[in-house]
Structures are given as structure tokens and as C-alpha cells.
Amino acid sequence: MVPARRWLVVAAVCAVVLAAVYFFAVWTVPGQELENAALRGADEAAAHDQAVADASLSRITVVSLAAAIVVVALAGLLRRRWDLAFAAVGVIVAGQLVTQVLKRFVLPRPGLVQVTGHYAGNSLPSGHTTIAMTVLFAALLVVPYRWRGVTLFFLLSWAVGIGAYTVTAKWHRLSDTLAADAIALGLACLASWWLARRGAVRRHDGPRRIPRVLVVTVAVLGAVVFFGLGTVLIGASLAGGGYAETVRDNAWVVYLAANSFASFGSVAAALVFLATWRRLEVA
């Protein structure tokens, strides 16, 4: 039997990341001020970019989510694995349950800085980012090993884009997307742990597939670029004018950094999940 502890460890780390993101972004004055600055900076984005972001997010509806669930379930059932279909569908459904309960009933947003209207309410975690990431993870679970790279190629860019678009469209803050990434990854790891405990996971002894290696390599490079760009942007702004000037006058730079970090979070979550399944497959 394949050791299942790895998935529990990653799920526990995800819970810690979720708590840390919530505390530093929501319960500290600098966290709220920086994210509010990013929201103001998004107003300076090109009208075309905002329109694309709104259109992409609007395509995620109850109907499209239901269609994704049906496709994932059928993929598992076609492999004659009801437990695989159940686990994959469970990741998507549980993702929305956890996200909506946390956002609406559990996680308050204190008024540490002056803000009015829609932005005064809690928006953490992002439901759209959770949908995108759980659909990605569910698909990676149900597809055969040989199709994992192809699935990653087609779905990763979409999922990463959704997380970034929520910031561009001002539907969510950076912390909302990072929290959603942690929730999606944690749930996918719990589903993987359940499958492993059932004896459904085995080691893959076949040859490596070059296309999948290339896709993963590009994803790693993308993560490095996104993180590096965000760090350079916010670091240069803070070094040039200090914290107060950055929050007050460099909202555009803060937005660009937040957008980059949102993309990094989604790519990093996907890579961590792939790493837990390295050379493993569902029997």
C-alpha cells in the first residue's frame, strides 16, 4: 500500500496557510491597507482587461459548475471506479461548501481601516478561485496517468487566469485567492488520502512522458516568474517611497504585485498537488 501520510501533512499545512493568510490580510491594518490599495489600482487597468476578466468570471455559473461535476463523475465511472468518481466530485462540492460557509458565517472582517460599501464585507475565500482549482484537482484525480500532463496543460492556465481575473475585476482581494488555493489543495489531498487508504493508489513503473515533464517545467518557470515579479514590484515600491507612500500613491504597482502573487498561488498549489502524486496512479 502506498503511504498516505503525505496527503495529510499537506492538508495540515494548507490549514495553517489559510489561517495565516486570513490573519495577516484581514486582522492587521497593513494587510487591509495594501489590499485596498490593490483594489484602487485595479481601477487603472485597461478597460479591455477588465472586460475580459468580467466575461471570464461570468462564465462560471451554476450550470457550468454542474456540467463540470457531471464530466468528472463520468470520467471516474468510465474507469469503473465509483470511489474515484465520488472523491473527485466530493472535492468540487466540498470546496464550495467550505468556501461559502467560511465566507458567509465564520470569518468576520473587522473595520480596521475606513472603507464603505461592498468592500467593507468579507470576501475571503474566493468562490470562483475555489471552483477553478477544485475542478483542476478533480480532473487530475480522475484521468489516467498518461493523460495527466494533457489535463494540466489545458486546465492550469484557465484556473490560474480565474484567480488573477478576480483581482483585475475587483471581485476579490489577493488574500481571497490564496485562501481559496489552500482550501482546494487541502480538500484534494484529503480525497487522495482517502483513496490511498482504500488501496486504490499504486506506484507507476512505466516510462516518463516527455510532454508532461515539459508542461511541469513550464509551470515551475511560470511560478518563479510570477513570484519574482510580484516581489520586485512591491519591494521596489516599498524601498523607493516607504510603506505610507506605497499605499497612498502607488496603488497601480500594488495591484500588479497582487495580480502576480495571485497567479503564483494557483500555480504553486497545482505543483504541490502534482508532487504528492509523483509516479503514483489510481489502479
Side-chain angles (χ1 to χ4, degrees), residues 209-225:
R209 296 184 177 273
I210 300 301
R212 181 170 58 251
V213 175
L214 292 176
V215 171
V216 172
T217 301
V218 171
V220 171
L221 292 176
V224 173
V225 170

Side-chain angles (χ1 to χ4, degrees), residues 19 31 107 114 133 145 172 176:
L107 302 180
Q114 185 175 2
M133 295 303 293
Y145 185 87
H172 284 284
D176 303 347

Side-chain angles (χ1 to χ4, degrees), residues 12 14 36 61 108 131 134 139 157 163 194 209 213 216 231 249 258-259 263 268:
C14 288
N36 289 339
T61 63
I131 289 175
T134 53
S157 59
W194 180 72
R209 296 184 177 273
V213 175
V216 172
T231 301
D249 301 328
N259 198 280
S263 298

Side-chain angles (χ1 to χ4, degrees), residues 4-223:
R5 182 182 178 185
R6 69 183 70 182
W7 287 295
L8 287 182
V9 172
V10 175
V13 172
C14 288
V16 173
V17 170
L18 172 61
V21 167
Y22 174 63
F23 174 76
F24 287 109
V26 178
W27 282 89
T28 66
V29 172
Q32 288 199 12
E33 287 182 338
L34 282 171
E35 293 206 304
N36 289 339
L39 289 176
R40 296 195 306 272
D43 288 330
E44 302 179 38
H48 175 266
D49 294 339
Q50 294 180 350
V52 170
D54 283 327
S56 298
L57 296 174
S58 297
R59 294 191 189 101
I60 298 181
T61 63
V62 174
V63 175
S64 63
L65 178 59
I69 291 174
V70 170
V71 170
V72 166
L74 287 176
L77 293 176
L78 286 174
R79 297 186 64 185
R80 300 180 181 181
R81 295 302 304 254
W82 70 265
D83 53 348
L84 183 58
F86 176 79
V89 170
V91 170
I92 300 175
V93 175
Q96 284 309 292
L97 289 176
V98 172
T99 295
Q100 298 306 324
V101 168
L102 288 177
K103 178 161 54 180
R104 298 177 186 274
F105 305 111
V106 178
L107 302 180
R109 184 176 184 85
L112 302 181
V113 299
Q114 185 175 2
V115 64
T116 59
H118 171 71
Y119 301 117
N122 179 54
S123 57
L124 183 149
S126 165
H128 282 74
T129 304
T130 303
I131 289 175
M133 295 303 293
T134 53
V135 168
L136 169 63
F137 292 146
L140 291 174
L141 278 175
V142 296
V143 297
Y145 185 87
R146 63 181 178 275
W147 291 104
R148 200 175 290 171
V150 175
T151 303
L152 183 68
F153 175 80
F154 284 104
L155 290 184
L156 180 59
S157 59
W158 167 75
V160 172
I162 292 298
Y165 284 150
T166 62
V167 179
T168 300
K170 298 175 65 174
W171 288 28
H172 284 284
R173 303 172 176 88
L174 167 63
S175 59
D176 303 347
T177 68
L178 298 179
D181 291 331
I183 290 171
L185 177 58
L187 291 173
C189 286
L190 290 178
S192 303
W193 170 81
W194 180 72
L195 288 170
R197 292 290 295 175
R198 287 180 53 83
V201 181
R202 69 181 181 188
R203 299 196 181 278
H204 178 80
D205 297 324
R208 293 183 179 180
R209 296 184 177 273
I210 300 301
R212 181 170 58 251
V213 175
L214 292 176
V215 171
V216 172
T217 301
V218 171
V220 171
L221 292 176

